[in-house]
Amino acid sequence: MKSQLLLYFLILAALSDGMTFHHFYKSILPLTTVTGRLGENVILPCKGEKGPNVLIHWKKKERNIHSYYNEKDHLELQDPTYTNRTFLFLNEINDGNASLTLKNLNLGDEGVYTCYVATDNNSQQVEVKLQLGAFTRAVMEYGKQNGDTYLICYLFGAYPFPNIMWTENNATKQESKIEEISSQPPISVKSQLNVTDSNSSYQCIIENLVLNQRWIGTWKADTSLKTHGEEISFPCKLKNEDILPEKNIYVIWSRVENTSSTILASFSNNSGRMVNDNRFSWTTSERNDFSLTLKSPTPTDNGEYLCNISSLGYTQLTVTQFLGAESYQERSSRLIILITSVVIALIVIIVIVVKYRKKCRQNGPDTDDARSKRGQIFSFHSNSKFQGSVKEFPFLQQHSWNLSI
């Protein structure tokens, strides 16, 4: 017991004047690295021997983080930046657990922590390196402006600086650049790429090597529109079915216009399927099918439609172009052109026939014998050619007629 009291005294003396006391410990264990997320909690591991009269002291360089002895916490000399953020596992201390919970992590918490733990029979020192990372939310945006089509990947709350890579048809594109939106850590970044081939598929891959976390965004144009009478079906099927069990999956259908977009329908695991325009309806035949159906399309519905399926680690964009709706005026114009063409053709035929009859009358009296000869002249079939004066009209040589005048 006297040795334990002496150890307490030496510890308190060290806390008061900042001196170290590594030489009091019998063993020093290898450095352990722990990764934490900014804003969340982390456990710094430290294990000692089982037994009563446990003494625990956590430090970060010369800063006092947490102390425990006489079976209770002693935080009188604790660094104020750690106030109300450090906790021991009080019920497990006598079993050798001296680990420390550090809550609400910030960038100042990074670094190496030292755990001194001792009992009546044993003492040791443990060093723990805490590294931090952040990967709050990644999104992919598709847009059009001034005739250009582009894709943008955003990562909000990134730490440290992330890796962003673009691929086209699975081939890496070297010209992609990363731009900082905010420079104060944790930072927000974006990377933009122009869509140069609408028949290609594009991927944006963002990685945080500290957290070993990856996000993938994909973009693809789909031309497989389905028509059922007066209904048009815009396709959208989830290709990566691994994300379906996630609780945070959501789907947004929107119409893309120059510099803007309009949300048509949305889905999430919590709220289900919602439609903002009653002319649209969801396809529910398969769990991974989020196709949208439009009833009675009009010319104002022509344009591009975007399906966005997203989760924490994945985003899939599918864009479909619809240009099939005609207005009543357009259909009427086509019908008028068709009717006009038929009428003109009939008039041409009548003029030719009248002209031939007039010429034949000028060549002689209208006798039975003359009519018989004219019939022979103007009687022809698909395998015959004009004879005599009919050769002057090549137009009639292009058709199969059987005229008797």
Side-chain angles (χ1 to χ4, degrees), residues 221-268:
D222 196 326
T223 58
S224 58
L225 279 173
K226 297 181 180 179
T227 304
H228 305 282
E230 290 296 319
E231 293 184 348
I232 302 295
S233 179
F234 299 97
C236 184
K237 285 191 175 183
L238 179 62
K239 296 179 181 179
N240 187 357
E241 294 192 38
D242 293 337
I243 73 172
L244 280 175
E246 292 191 16
K247 295 181 179 180
N248 295 326
I249 182 175
Y250 64 91
V251 182
I252 296 178
W253 266 103
S254 58
R255 182 178 175 185
V256 181
E257 300 175 286
N258 194 28
T259 70
S260 66
S261 62
T262 304
I263 295 179
L264 305 173
S266 60
F267 165 85
S268 69

Side-chain angles (χ1 to χ4, degrees), residues 172-186:
T172 303
K173 296 184 71 67
Q174 302 296 333
E175 66 272 19
S176 57
K177 297 181 180 180
I178 305 175
E179 177 184 346
E180 287 189 16
I181 302 175
S182 63
S183 57
Q184 190 69 23

